[in-house]
Amino acid sequence: MPTTRRAFLAMAVGVVAGCAGCSAGEVEPAALRFATGPTGGPYEVLGDRLATELRRRGLTVRVVKTAASIENLAMLADGRADLGLSLADSADEAVRVRRAPVSALARMYMNYVHLVVRKDSGILRIEDLAGRAVSIGAQGSGTAFTAERVLAKAPLKEPARTFRLGLDESLGTLAAGGVDAFFWSGGVPTPALARARRSIRLLPLDTLVPELRRAYGPLYESAIVPAEEYELPGPLPTIGTPSYLVCATSMPLEVAFSVTETMFASRDRLEAPDAPGGRLDRRYAIGTGAVPLHEGAARYYRSVYG
């Protein structure tokens, strides 16, 4: 990156003069705080990859591990983070309902809602979860946000008993009989689920897509989990919702431009983990619904397409 451009970016992010170990007259850019996800999850993997590429372009980036979407959005809204990853429905609610000062840089890839039961379970459809113990995802996660909406629209004769457990804990608790089912929203295949594929089954969820779209708009899509990914008996229809790269609306225009430009310049190394068809695409990226594109990102897309 040219020296003048790097200096401009450092100024845009903020600088700390007289830092320890700096020679006289030097400045060190303040770190972009990037809220990603839990250890071992797809947001952590993708966030770490993007952070590496941003550092190569001269930006200082500090990755912050979180519970994912809901926590990330809260951190952006109250100034504890500058960049983050979020499921589309979580980001939409934050912007439309809570008026959070959050903007989008890109729609990145599709997530698939997994509703997981033991292979030897007699649970065959979501209606069978009435009154049963279900993990909806970790506290502060987008999975839990989506799962609550799915369960609210499901035709259950009585509510499920819900628990908030992360993916690994959900898998262990399911195997031990502590829950009857759990939700996970992520790419396909999700490695932890692929490893457990001989002991689990996924339930179809596609019948709920029209209800979710009527209630919340086109954030939810019909999606198909390919049979070969988890050794399923056939393709499994489910609910899909995208992931966004989001930022604080106050992010300087030049920084937002540079982050977006870097993401696409490095997409061969950055391809969204565990998401078939998840290779970054500029035309797909601009569709962020009610979450407005940051002007710096919009300027990047205009520079490419005019």
Side-chain angles (χ1 to χ4, degrees):
M1 179 185 296
T3 301
T4 54
R5 182 174 174 81
R6 182 174 300 176
F8 185 91
L9 288 172
M11 291 172 63
V13 178
V15 296
V16 180
C19 58
C22 296
S23 60
E26 288 184 343
V27 294
E28 181 177 289
L32 280 173
R33 298 157 299 172
F34 190 0
T36 58
T39 300
Y43 278 3
E44 182 201 42
V45 175
L46 183 56
D48 284 347
R49 291 182 187 180
L50 179 54
T52 296
E53 298 302 328
L54 293 171
R55 291 176 189 126
R56 287 176 178 166
R57 295 291 294 269
L59 286 168
T60 302
V61 182
R62 179 167 63 88
V63 173
V64 183
K65 311 301 182 189
T66 68
S69 299
I70 299 298
E71 185 176 1
N72 294 350
L73 291 161
M75 292 175 69
L76 289 171
D78 66 18
R80 289 177 291 147
D82 307 292
L83 278 176
L85 292 161
S86 174
L87 287 173
D89 54 356
S90 300
D92 175 88
E93 193 271 346
V95 170
R96 283 195 310 104
V97 178
R98 292 186 282 112
R99 306 297 181 190
V102 172
S103 297
L105 299 179
R107 178 170 63 165
M108 299 198 73
Y109 68 98
M110 182 62 67
N111 286 268
Y112 298 73
V113 179
H114 300 64
L115 179 51
V116 184
V117 298
R118 291 185 300 278
K119 184 161 283 187
D120 60 1
S121 167
I123 300 171
L124 302 177
R125 52 186 187 159
I126 193 168
E127 292 90 328
D128 297 333
L129 296 181
R132 294 181 182 266
V134 180
S135 169
I136 61 171
Q139 181 72 34
S141 69
T143 293
F145 183 86
T146 303
E148 286 184 322
R149 285 185 168 183
V150 171
L151 287 173
K153 296 301 177 185
L156 303 182
K157 292 183 178 179
E158 61 177 300
R161 294 179 290 115
T162 59
F163 301 84
R164 292 179 181 268
L165 309 175
L167 176 58
D168 290 341
E169 193 176 0
S170 291
L171 270 167
T173 306
L174 181 76
V179 296
D180 299 295
F182 70 85
F183 283 88
W184 165 252
S185 186
V188 172
T190 292
L193 298 182
R195 289 191 294 270
R197 64 189 180 277
R198 291 186 173 84
S199 62
I200 62 172
R201 223 171 357 96
L202 304 186
L203 302 187
L205 292 170
D206 57 307
T207 58
L208 294 175
V209 172
E211 279 293 319
L212 290 166
R213 289 175 69 91
R214 275 192 290 271
Y216 306 110
L219 298 164
Y220 301 101
E221 306 175 27
S222 295
I224 299 292
V225 177
E228 62 272 16
E229 299 297 352
Y230 299 118
E231 297 183 4
L232 302 172
L236 184 101
T238 190
I239 301 161
T241 189
S243 276
Y244 294 165
L245 179 64
V246 289
C247 68
T249 300
S250 60
M251 175 177 280
L253 185 149
E254 179 70 11
V255 178
F257 182 100
S258 184
V259 170
T260 311
E261 180 183 50
T262 299
M263 181 174 61
F264 283 101
S266 59
R267 62 183 173 180
D268 288 342
R269 296 184 295 276
L270 193 66
E271 184 172 351
D274 311 318
R279 181 181 171 85
L280 290 165
D281 176 84
R282 293 183 186 90
R283 294 194 185 279
Y284 180 83
I286 62 175
T288 56
V291 184
L293 279 175
H294 191 287
E295 178 54 32
R299 179 175 292 187
Y300 167 74
Y301 296 120
R302 287 195 296 267
S303 76
V304 174
Y305 290 116

